[in-house]
Amino acid sequence: MNENGQNWMRLDNAAKIYPASMRRDWMAMFRLSATLVEPVDPEVLRAALARTLRRFPWFAVRMRRGMFWYYLEHNDASPVLEEDVRNPCVPMRAKDSRGYAFRVRYYGNQIAVEIFHVLTDGTGGLCFLKTLVAEYLTLRYGVAIPRGGDILDCDDAPDPGEMEDGFLACAGNVTRSRSEADSFHLKGTKERDGFVHVTTGVIPVSALKARAEEKGVSLTVYLTAVLILAFDAIQRRKYPRRSAKRLKPIKICVPVNLRRFFPTKTLRNFANYVNPGIEPSYGVFTLDEVLSIVTHQMGMELTPKVLGAKFTTNVRSEQNAILRVAPLFLKDIAMRAVFYMTGDKKTATCFSNLGNARLPEEMALFVTRMEFLLGPLSLNPVAIGTLSYDGTMYINITRTIRESDLEREFFTRLVKLGIPVRIESNQR
């Protein structure tokens, strides 16, 4: 399965934290979906999945617990196909998934994949979904879909470079402190049965792009700034008597695709993050001020040297001589502590924009919609995943509390800025 011909492989550097930090009621997951022009044939989808897995051997695995580290072992079982549900990205049980760390779901015209982060990041997951859908359309309709880029040819042998640990391959010699202030968090009434609310804002990319271009910023910077102002308004409204000095910072975790900055072909995890934000104690900020802050903060962080120093810190921790020989149960304790101290506490939410999903014309004729959704975070009650397709942006806000303060504040602000938003929801 790996480049040495072995039937197992190590978790990549980013993946190591996820088994240690998962709980019975939570694991780090995300979802990608494609909506087709006709209802999905599950038997054709099953055949397409079998072919796709041969091209993605690091998906055809089960996670095992070793003496010193978790690892991935080849899985010969047939993966489970299941009808979709209203409650996405719930934790997977090995007995239900036949050991796999992902699930494929279908309902009506939609094909969806839900992936545990030990396998890959959003970029790798989108490549998997595109390839799966291309295989499905080829088997179902006999259409000839060009392969290349992030639509892989399942007749080709897996490329060892796609399976490398990009963090180990690209790590440098300089590390960087993980220390930073905690952020404001939303609080609310937790759904006791684990139900995940999903609110989708459907937005014309042209309208959003026009507003961003007026300000000279990217779509990600623009939306991040509006999110920061939405959280700021909520904090001030919820705590009107709190003195300015006691207002907490508001920071947004924005994942970054490291493949843009480093030479690797990996399709496993290879992302880092930046946490732009404001200090509300300084006063009330305007949109222009926050746009400038986010632009400059991200500009300083999004360089190969800074990003490399950040993930080199994690690589050097993994390579620490004492940690390497420590038994796994001690590593679990240490990594859970690091995850708690440096993870969700530092930001108000995670906003992950996968950009624009492009398909060849032969394939786009059959696909009407594509979406990305972040599963619930460990501590924060809201998460945001965004994907654009065919001129439309789909902003999915997942929520584990009953109160919908963020969705209302965020989408209302976009509308007031002249950006039309159509709202969809899985509310029960």
Side-chain angles (χ1 to χ4, degrees):
M1 182 178 69
N2 60 22
E3 58 239 66
N4 299 318
Q6 297 168 319
N7 231 16
W8 63 276
M9 65 194 308
R10 295 179 176 87
L11 271 65
D12 62 67
N13 179 260
K16 284 182 166 63
I17 197 73
Y18 296 119
S21 59
M22 68 181 183
R23 308 184 301 264
R24 181 179 295 275
D25 63 343
W26 178 81
M27 57 196 303
M29 296 186 65
F30 62 92
R31 172 186 169 106
L32 288 148
S33 65
T35 303
L36 310 183
V37 294
E38 292 183 348
V40 174
D41 184 326
E43 292 310 311
V44 176
L45 180 58
R46 192 183 311 278
L49 178 57
R51 281 183 51 79
T52 303
L53 278 182
R54 290 198 292 270
R55 185 61 182 80
F56 289 77
W58 63 98
F59 270 69
V61 295
R62 67 177 79 242
M63 191 172 67
R64 295 292 197 187
R65 185 183 181 93
M67 182 176 293
F68 297 104
W69 293 105
Y70 294 95
Y71 64 96
L72 302 174
E73 179 184 73
H74 180 68
N75 189 351
D76 282 322
S78 298
V80 176
L81 283 183
E82 56 189 39
E83 289 199 49
D84 209 354
V85 295
R86 294 174 64 195
N87 197 18
C89 289
V90 297
M92 285 186 285
R93 302 288 173 255
K95 64 178 182 179
D96 299 326
S97 66
R98 295 178 183 164
Y100 285 94
F102 73 97
R103 58 166 73 100
V104 176
R105 289 176 156 169
Y106 64 93
Y107 182 78
N109 296 19
Q110 189 176 86
I111 296 172
V113 293
E114 297 185 352
I115 302 170
F116 184 24
H117 243 309
V118 295
L119 297 181
T120 187
D121 55 21
T123 299
L126 187 57
C127 178
F128 182 84
L129 175 68
K130 286 184 177 182
T131 303
L132 173 62
V133 172
E135 283 297 312
Y136 172 84
L137 295 174
T138 299
L139 293 175
R140 177 81 186 271
Y141 301 105
V143 60
I145 295 174
R147 305 306 170 96
D150 55 359
I151 302 177
L152 305 188
D153 190 336
C154 293
D155 289 327
D156 290 345
D159 184 339
E162 296 165 356
M163 292 181 274
E164 81 169 354
D165 185 338
F167 297 101
L168 296 184
C170 300
N173 297 314
V174 177
T175 61
R176 183 182 180 186
S177 172
R178 299 188 183 102
S179 177
E180 61 177 296
D182 293 347
S183 173
F184 169 73
H185 283 178
L186 287 180
K187 295 181 180 179
T189 309
K190 190 171 180 63
E191 290 287 3
R192 294 184 179 179
D193 60 358
F195 185 77
V196 179
H197 298 270
V198 181
T199 304
T200 306
V202 183
I203 298 175
V205 172
S206 58
L208 180 59
K209 190 174 182 180
R211 294 293 176 267
E213 287 180 347
E214 285 176 2
K215 302 296 185 179
V217 300
S218 69
L219 300 186
T220 296
V221 167
Y222 193 88
L223 290 172
T224 300
V226 177
L227 269 173
I228 289 171
L229 287 172
F231 276 103
D232 184 42
I234 292 169
Q235 178 176 209
R236 293 178 188 276
R237 189 162 59 241
K238 282 187 173 292
Y239 304 102
R241 298 181 180 178
R242 181 174 285 180
S243 66
K245 291 182 179 180
R246 294 183 58 206
L247 291 173
K248 291 188 176 181
I250 293 172
K251 296 180 292 177
I252 307 295
C253 175
V254 182
V256 179
N257 179 10
L258 293 173
R259 298 167 186 84
R260 294 165 44 199
F261 302 91
F262 297 92
T264 179
K265 295 189 292 183
T266 188
L267 289 174
R268 298 172 74 192
N269 285 295
F270 198 50
N272 208 271
Y273 59 89
V274 294
N275 294 337
I278 62 171
E279 288 282 351
S281 60
Y282 294 170
V284 178
F285 290 79
T286 65
L287 176 60
D288 285 344
E289 287 175 324
V290 180
L291 286 170
S292 177
I293 290 168
V294 174
T295 298
H296 287 92
Q297 287 178 343
M298 292 183 70
M300 290 189 295
E301 294 280 323
L302 295 183
T303 70
K305 292 181 175 61
V306 175
L307 291 169
K310 287 179 71 172
F311 71 73
T312 296
T313 303
N314 298 331
V315 171
R316 294 295 169 253
S317 296
E318 175 188 339
Q319 295 173 335
N320 179 277
I322 297 175
L323 184 62
R324 290 181 68 174
V325 299
L328 184 56
F329 79 91
L330 289 179
K331 287 189 177 80
D332 279 347
I333 295 171
M335 287 190 288
R336 272 196 295 270
V338 170
F339 181 77
Y340 179 75
M341 290 186 296
T342 65
D344 289 356
K345 290 179 65 177
K346 304 303 177 185
T347 55
T349 191
C350 180
F351 169 55
S352 183
N353 181 7
L354 281 190
N356 186 33
R358 294 181 175 87
L359 300 177
E361 183 178 354
E362 296 87 341
M363 188 173 173
L365 291 172
F366 295 88
V367 181
T368 63
R369 177 167 173 164
M370 297 188 72
E371 292 184 68
F372 170 54
L373 182 151
L374 280 179
L377 303 178
S378 177
L379 297 177
N380 292 341
V382 290
I384 303 143
T386 301
L387 184 64
S388 299
Y389 174 71
D390 193 25
T392 301
M393 174 179 282
Y394 302 93
I395 302 179
N396 281 299
I397 300 182
T398 51
R399 169 169 46 89
T400 54
I401 56 176
R402 296 178 185 175
E403 294 80 4
S404 56
D405 295 2
L406 178 64
E407 296 97 306
R408 292 178 180 176
E409 186 70 37
F410 176 61
F411 289 129
T412 297
R413 284 176 174 270
L414 289 179
V415 171
K416 288 180 178 179
L417 288 165
I419 301 166
V421 181
R422 187 178 83 248
I423 300 296
E424 301 173 354
S425 174
N426 70 339
Q427 297 298 321
R428 52 187 179 180

